[in-house]
Amino acid sequence: MTDIVVGGFAADRFAPVREAFTANLESGADLGASFAATIDGEMVVDLWGGWADEARARPWERDTLVNVYSTTKTMTALTALLLADRGELDFDAPVARYWPEFAQAGKSGVKVSHLMSHSAGLSGWKEPLRQEDLYDWDKATSLLAAQAPYWQPGTAPGYHALTQGYLVGEVVRRITGRTLGTVFREEIAQPLGADFHIGLPASEDHRVADLIPPPPGGAIGDGEQSELSANMSNNPGIDVLATRTRAWRAAEIPAAGGHGNARSIAQVHVLLANGGVAQGKRILSEAGCRKALEVQIEGHDLILGVPARFGMGFGLPGAHLPLPNANSIYWGGYGGSLVIIDMDARTTFGYAMNLMQPTTQGDTRALGLAMGMWRGLAG
């Protein structure tokens, strides 16, 4: 077997993080991966290595991209936070103020904050959907506008795995006249030079690593599920191999279809870690950033089946993921990707990989690297 090559760098005090990253690749816990971290906006760790495909024919390069599934949600949330900071979006307003058709089926009182915090009761579609329907924005959003909630909005969290992106994205589109992927690209990614895409151009296909599905029994939808969870995971079913198609990559799926790497994930979220400033540019206010920390809902998640605490678009530290600092926010993607933003330490951690771990087992790859970062920060 060809020796594992790890590219990039880690500042001296984070040498154990590089060692742990390399160990993940050498042990087979990772096939190909990237990990990056910033402090005060400066990149202090930027690592990549392994393979971009199962055949080990393509090395994971500095600019390799990968579909990060729900880590995309943090980019969607940041886009909404930006509009709110500019006064264009009021999280406390009813969704129907911006999207009148949404008031159907008793949803006139559903707030934008409910969409942001997975508490709108729209965790899945009631009408049967096919995979290709996810590429039809008008169909996906109009069906959600027409249906009644599964539970009383605002009373409980219930993870909106795919629907959240369409819901928040349509509000953004109604306000700006642009798709969420376009607003994110023009207002956030391009100004920061961040290589993250919600809607990937065909010109970048050659850089995309192949996601490797989790083993049988470890995928979303495997095992016993509640009726609500089954609806989320099976309508339509989540087909990992669809991420290798041009249709998936081109579509704007703002809850699950983003493509990036650890560097771009960490770069984008410097905005939140540094009070709205990145690359010398002020894009949000400090208050606008800290809006993400405000608890919107907490309790037993009706879909995930675990305790959950949601702020404005991000997970908050709690039983599901205890973090050293209270003023931290995070979220991760199906299979293992993760972002953590620690506002106290003014740091961001990003992790992206292509070997998906089972949802039924504890995946410690990313969190182990993050804990190594915190130990380095503590000196």
Side-chain angles (χ1 to χ4, degrees):
M1 182 185 298
T2 305
D3 290 339
I4 296 293
V5 175
V6 173
F9 70 93
D12 289 347
R13 61 175 162 156
F14 303 118
V17 175
R18 184 185 184 111
E19 293 167 7
F21 180 83
T22 303
N24 283 345
L25 291 166
E26 291 178 341
S27 70
D30 269 320
L31 176 65
S34 56
F35 179 80
T38 68
I39 302 174
D40 286 321
E42 178 188 356
M43 196 73 65
V44 294
V45 176
D46 186 6
L47 300 169
W48 63 87
W51 301 97
D53 63 335
E54 204 165 9
R56 299 172 186 253
R58 290 193 293 138
W60 188 294
E61 307 281 5
R62 182 184 188 278
D63 67 347
T64 294
L65 304 172
V66 70
N67 187 94
V68 298
Y69 275 119
S70 288
T71 298
T72 312
K73 289 183 173 70
T74 66
M75 310 296 174
T76 298
L78 183 56
T79 304
L81 286 165
L82 175 63
L83 294 185
D85 197 44
R86 292 176 175 173
E88 298 176 41
L89 171 61
D90 180 356
F91 289 127
D92 200 43
V95 176
R97 175 187 295 180
Y98 310 104
W99 180 5
E101 300 92 329
F102 187 84
Q104 298 175 74
K107 300 195 301 301
S108 60
V110 177
K111 299 178 181 180
V112 178
S113 59
H114 295 150
L115 307 184
M116 296 287 286
S117 59
H118 301 275
S119 62
L122 297 168
S123 54
W125 288 271
K126 291 188 177 180
E127 291 292 324
L129 254 62
R130 303 167 300 165
Q131 177 76 35
E132 46 268 38
D133 292 328
L134 297 178
Y135 314 144
D136 184 338
W137 185 268
D138 288 341
K139 180 173 184 177
T141 55
S142 62
L143 286 175
L144 289 169
Q147 76 181 50
Y150 285 109
W151 66 90
Q152 181 64 39
T155 61
Y159 190 47
H160 290 39
L162 282 172
T163 56
Q164 190 198 41
Y166 295 100
L167 294 165
V168 176
E170 183 62 7
V171 171
V172 168
R173 191 181 74 84
R174 295 295 179 111
I175 291 170
T176 66
R178 294 175 287 166
T179 67
L180 185 135
T182 301
V183 177
F184 171 77
R185 182 181 70 252
E186 294 178 350
E187 307 287 346
I188 297 174
Q190 287 181 343
L192 300 184
D195 192 11
F196 195 99
H197 311 263
I198 302 174
L200 186 74
S203 60
E204 310 308 311
D205 275 347
H206 67 284
R207 299 197 285 134
V208 181
D210 292 341
L211 277 179
I212 315 301
I220 289 178
D222 291 341
E224 291 187 16
Q225 292 185 294
S226 69
E227 187 175 344
L228 273 178
S229 295
N231 169 260
M232 178 277 291
S233 58
N234 297 316
N235 186 34
I238 298 173
D239 178 8
V240 171
L241 297 184
T243 65
R244 303 184 187 183
T245 66
R246 175 92 293 267
W248 173 278
R249 294 173 182 176
E252 292 192 13
I253 304 175
H259 289 76
N261 49 36
R263 183 186 314 106
S264 61
I265 292 168
Q267 279 179 316
V268 166
H269 290 98
V270 163
L271 279 175
L272 295 176
N274 287 30
V277 176
Q279 304 287 322
K281 304 176 180 75
R282 174 162 292 284
I283 295 178
L284 282 92
S285 70
E286 177 99 28
C289 293
R290 298 189 76 81
K291 194 80 180 170
L293 292 166
E294 296 178 7
V295 180
Q296 300 301 309
I297 194 103
E298 52 189 321
H300 187 80
D301 192 285
L302 300 176
I303 305 299
L304 300 177
V306 297
R309 296 180 74 232
F310 289 113
M312 199 66 79
F314 291 81
L316 301 176
H320 186 241
L321 186 65
L323 298 176
N325 292 331
N327 290 323
S328 299
I329 54 179
Y330 76 96
W331 203 245
Y334 177 34
S337 65
L338 182 69
V339 60
I340 298 174
I341 303 106
D342 185 334
M343 295 187 187
D344 289 341
R346 295 173 67 85
T347 188
T348 65
F349 311 141
Y351 170 77
M353 75 310 128
N354 61 349
L355 181 62
M356 299 175 68
Q357 296 286 11
T359 59
T360 52
Q361 300 174 11
D363 180 4
T364 61
R365 294 172 297 177
L367 194 56
L369 296 169
M371 295 308 291
M373 288 297 306
W374 273 306
R375 286 191 291 270
L377 286 166

